[in-house]
Amino acid sequence: MELFVLLLFCHGLFAVKHSVIHFLARVPDVSEFFSRSVIDGSEVISCDSSKKIVEIRHDWLKKILDNNPTLSESFTQQCFVIVPNFFRDLAFSLEQQFNQSDGVHILQSISGCEWDENTNEVNSFFKYGYNGEDFLKLDLKTLTWNTLKPEADIIRQRWNADTARMKNNENILTHICPERLKIFVEAGKSSLQRTGRVILSHAFSRL
């Protein structure tokens, strides 16, 4: 009886969590924009806008994209056009606000979500870094951007005032991200299970 109770307790204590993390960066003189996406610790896709290269690391993801031309085209446009232009404009604004007229300045973002397979709980995150330091972080509970450096306050005010964009961020992080993560985990379970984690506590510190 004691063993049975212990097994029940352990089943509730351990949680299988899956995550997808998107790393984006702009590094002048190296790449106008590049990104990589990691699911359960395994890199699944990357792109480099300067070289016009998209690398798909797993056959199961290639199959998903081949069967969904709209999703594939959306990813290509985001990688080669939309996000590079956005990063270029944001980097220019930051250089002005930090009073930087020369040198190489690196702009990064990290975003994604984590899904608990047992409880179906989802936690999402989104933040920006500049020259290796955090400067903006999205609070999904209040739907506001918070500054981590005072120089980012002007951008924070502008982004917080853009309610349409904020709602889009919320939809992507709380709905689209976990929905796609579940699809990818199911499709890639034969390869991802080697890197999936059984853990006791949250996989991420709150980014």
Side-chain angles (χ1 to χ4, degrees):
M1 180 64 179
E2 289 82 357
L3 178 59
F4 178 71
V5 173
L6 179 61
L7 288 173
L8 284 178
F9 175 75
C10 288
H11 177 74
L13 183 63
F14 284 83
V16 178
K17 296 182 180 180
H18 301 280
S19 64
V20 56
I21 309 175
H22 306 290
F23 301 92
L24 286 67
R26 179 180 187 270
V27 185
D29 301 329
V30 177
S31 176
E32 186 68 18
F33 169 77
F34 69 87
S35 72
R36 67 187 183 100
S37 297
V38 175
I39 297 178
D40 287 353
S42 176
E43 184 173 331
V44 295
I45 192 168
S46 64
C47 81
D48 187 323
S49 69
S50 297
K51 298 178 181 178
K52 300 297 182 184
I53 293 175
V54 174
E55 293 189 61
I56 302 172
R57 310 291 184 180
H58 297 278
D59 290 339
W60 58 263
L61 180 57
K62 184 178 186 303
K63 184 177 180 180
I64 288 176
L65 294 177
D66 286 345
N67 291 335
N68 192 332
T70 301
L71 178 60
S72 180
E73 178 62 21
S74 174
F75 178 82
T76 301
Q77 287 297 313
Q78 290 286 331
C79 176
F80 293 155
V81 181
I82 298 172
V83 181
N85 290 341
F86 172 75
F87 263 53
R88 189 184 307 113
D89 293 343
L90 178 56
F92 178 77
S93 296
L94 289 169
E95 289 168 6
Q96 300 299 308
Q97 289 168 220
F98 281 85
N99 294 316
Q100 297 164 329
S101 58
D102 54 17
V104 175
H105 304 289
I106 300 172
L107 175 62
Q108 299 168 292
S109 77
I110 178 172
S111 63
C113 58
E114 182 186 67
W115 164 55
D116 188 316
E117 192 174 313
N118 291 341
T119 66
N120 212 33
E121 179 185 6
V122 172
N123 289 289
S124 303
F125 51 89
F126 195 177
K127 73 175 181 179
Y128 283 87
Y130 186 62
N131 288 338
E133 296 184 341
D134 300 337
F135 76 92
L136 274 172
K137 174 183 174 182
L138 180 61
D139 185 337
L140 278 168
K141 292 181 179 179
T142 61
L143 286 184
T144 55
W145 286 95
N146 296 324
T147 54
L148 304 175
K149 292 184 73 68
E151 292 87 349
D153 194 57
I154 294 176
I155 294 175
R156 177 191 65 83
Q157 294 180 43
R158 186 167 71 245
W159 287 6
N160 283 345
D162 190 343
T163 56
R165 177 180 170 177
M166 187 66 75
K167 285 294 184 181
N168 185 55
N169 284 332
E170 180 188 27
N171 183 51
I172 290 172
L173 291 170
T174 61
H175 297 291
I176 295 176
C177 182
E179 287 172 4
R180 287 183 180 172
L181 175 58
K182 293 173 185 178
I183 292 172
F184 294 158
V185 167
E186 177 62 26
K189 58 186 176 183
S190 61
S191 59
L192 293 174
Q193 65 185 1
R194 294 193 293 271
T195 55
R197 298 152 299 153
V198 178
I199 54 180
L200 286 170
S201 60
H202 217 270
F204 305 113
S205 58
R206 277 295 155 261
L207 296 170

